[in-house]
Structure formats: structure tokens, C-alpha cells
Amino acid sequence: MSAVLPDPAATPPQTARLVNLPNALTVLRLAVVPVFAVLLLQDEGLDDAGRYWATLVFGLAIITDRYDGMIARRTGQVTEFGKLADPIADKALTGSALIGLSVLGLLPWWVTALILVREVGVTLLRFWVIRHGVIAASRGGKAKTVVQALAIGLYILPLTGALATARWWVMAAAVVLTVVTGLDYVYRALVLRRTSARAMRAAAERRAAKGAAGAGETRTDTAA
């Protein structure tokens, strides 16, 4: 028998303060997005110094993404604001980088569209299943995040020659992982919706209601 998962809707309200270090890191990551975009697009991407600075800002922002959630969980500072703002900040940073690279002609638009559709779709799936539970990040999902960030960082850098060719292969690996993990997330979301404690209770209630209705019809027929 599978373990019964706790119902997120029945968990007690949060007690962590809204103003804390993890939330501050999340807000900081969101705040640097326009700064990053300006540096990347400076002089239509021909300013190598601007590209290097953009890479630095992107890298630091990615690091905050790695640690804000970890700090929040380890110190008991998880908040509803953090749960909502963290993925928004992630998508804003990644989206601005991908769109900026495509605007500069460095990255095909179909790659940008594919990655963004996957990221937005997964976010919507999280909201779709939130009352049933939380889907833990898989190894593939974690690998996707690392490879995707590395690929974007390499494209932001003003590289030429063999390094410019190598980054294409890194981005290709990121695209494959993006598609595969996206499909895996859809599958796990559907399974969770079907097998969560909430879903099992709802199914039991439907069976009980159907059984009661059937019993009522039997008594009516007997009386007739």
C-alpha cells in the first residue's frame, strides 16, 4: 500500500516572517532582471564588456536561485510569498536571457519558444496539482536546470571559434533535457491527481454516494 500524502490544504498557516533572507534573495533576483537585460542588449550585443557584465549578473542571480529555497527549507522560513515569487523570478531571469539572445540573433527563436513553453507549462501544472501535493524535483529536472543555465551563460559570453561551437552542443543537451523532463512532469502530475490522498477520499465519497443511491433504489423497488 502506498503511503498517504498529507493534504496541503489542511496544513496549518505559515508562521515564518515575510521579510527574511530567502525572500530578500528572491526579490533581488527579480530586481536585477532589467539590469541584466540592459547589459546584454547594450550596443545591440556588440559591447563585449556589457556581455561579460551580463554574464556575471546572470551567474550571481542563478546562485541566489540555488540558495534561497535551500535556506528557507533548512531554517523554516518558507512563506506563501516565497513559493509564488521564486518561480516568477526564475522565469523572468531565464525568459529575459533567452528572448534577449534571440533578439540579438544568437539563439534560434524556436529554442527560446520551446524552453519558455515548457517552463510556463510546468508552473501552471504546479498550480493545477497544488491541492493534491508537491512534485519533488527529479534528478533529470535538476540536471536540466544546471545544463540550461550553463548553456545560456555560454551564449551570453562573446565567444568565437571552438567555444562558440561547443556551446551549441550544450544548448542542444539543454533542449533535450527540457523536453524529456517536461513530459515526465506532465506524467507525474497526472499520477498525483489520480492517487493523492485528496483524490482517494473523493473517489471513496463517490463510491459511497453511489452505493447509497443504489440501496435507496433497491428499497424503493422492494416497497413497490
Side-chain angles (χ1 to χ4, degrees), residues 66 118-119 137-152 170-181 188:
R66 170 68 178 84
R118 187 272 187 196
E119 298 301 328
S138 65
R139 291 184 179 180
K142 293 177 181 178
K144 182 272 303 179
T145 300
V146 172
V147 176
Q148 192 180 95
L150 177 60
I152 292 174
V170 179
M171 182 59 77
V175 169
V176 171
L177 287 170
T178 295
V179 173
V180 171
T181 57
R188 290 195 291 157

Side-chain angles (χ1 to χ4, degrees), residues 4 6 9-10 14 32 36 75 86 88 90 104 112 122-123 126-127 131 136 140 143 146 153 166 186 199 220:
V4 177
Q14 66 181 43
V32 302
F36 161 75
T75 60
D86 183 68
I88 292 175
D90 296 344
L104 296 176
T112 293
V122 166
T123 299
R126 285 195 178 102
F127 284 111
R131 294 183 67 83
V146 172
V186 171
T220 302

Side-chain angles (χ1 to χ4, degrees), residues 93-111:
L93 179 65
T94 302
S96 64
L98 291 170
I99 292 172
L101 291 170
S102 292
V103 167
L104 296 176
L106 298 171
L107 188 67
W109 276 105
W110 70 265
V111 174

Side-chain angles (χ1 to χ4, degrees), residues 24-209:
L25 291 174
T26 300
V27 172
L28 176 63
R29 185 164 69 258
L30 191 57
V32 302
V33 169
V35 177
F36 161 75
V38 169
L39 291 171
L40 175 62
L41 299 175
Q42 188 171 320
D43 197 17
E44 298 183 349
L46 300 177
D47 184 353
D48 286 357
R51 296 270 294 277
Y52 282 118
W53 279 109
T55 305
L56 178 61
V57 171
F58 180 80
L60 292 175
I62 289 296
I63 291 174
T64 67
D65 179 37
R66 170 68 178 84
Y67 285 100
D68 59 357
M70 183 179 68
I71 293 172
R73 289 187 296 272
R74 289 186 177 181
T75 60
Q77 298 185 82
V78 177
T79 65
E80 294 302 321
F81 171 81
K83 292 178 184 178
L84 178 64
D86 183 68
I88 292 175
D90 296 344
K91 303 305 178 288
L93 179 65
T94 302
S96 64
L98 291 170
I99 292 172
L101 291 170
S102 292
V103 167
L104 296 176
L106 298 171
L107 188 67
W109 276 105
W110 70 265
V111 174
T112 293
L114 179 65
I115 293 177
L116 291 184
V117 166
R118 187 272 187 196
E119 298 301 328
V120 173
V122 166
T123 299
L124 294 177
L125 276 175
R126 285 195 178 102
F127 284 111
W128 186 51
V129 302
I130 191 64
R131 294 183 67 83
H132 293 267
V134 177
I135 301 176
S138 65
R139 291 184 179 180
K142 293 177 181 178
K144 182 272 303 179
T145 300
V146 172
V147 176
Q148 192 180 95
L150 177 60
I152 292 174
L154 290 174
Y155 266 86
I156 297 171
L157 285 169
L159 301 177
T160 57
L163 289 177
T165 301
R167 69 186 180 187
W168 185 92
W169 289 102
V170 179
M171 182 59 77
V175 169
V176 171
L177 287 170
T178 295
V179 173
V180 171
T181 57
L183 293 175
D184 176 65
Y185 203 100
V186 171
Y187 170 76
R188 290 195 291 157
L190 292 174
V191 170
L192 179 61
R193 290 270 301 190
R194 217 171 41 241
T195 61
S196 69
R198 176 180 290 270
M200 299 299 284
R201 284 197 301 271
E205 290 171 359
R206 286 195 298 270
R207 287 194 298 269

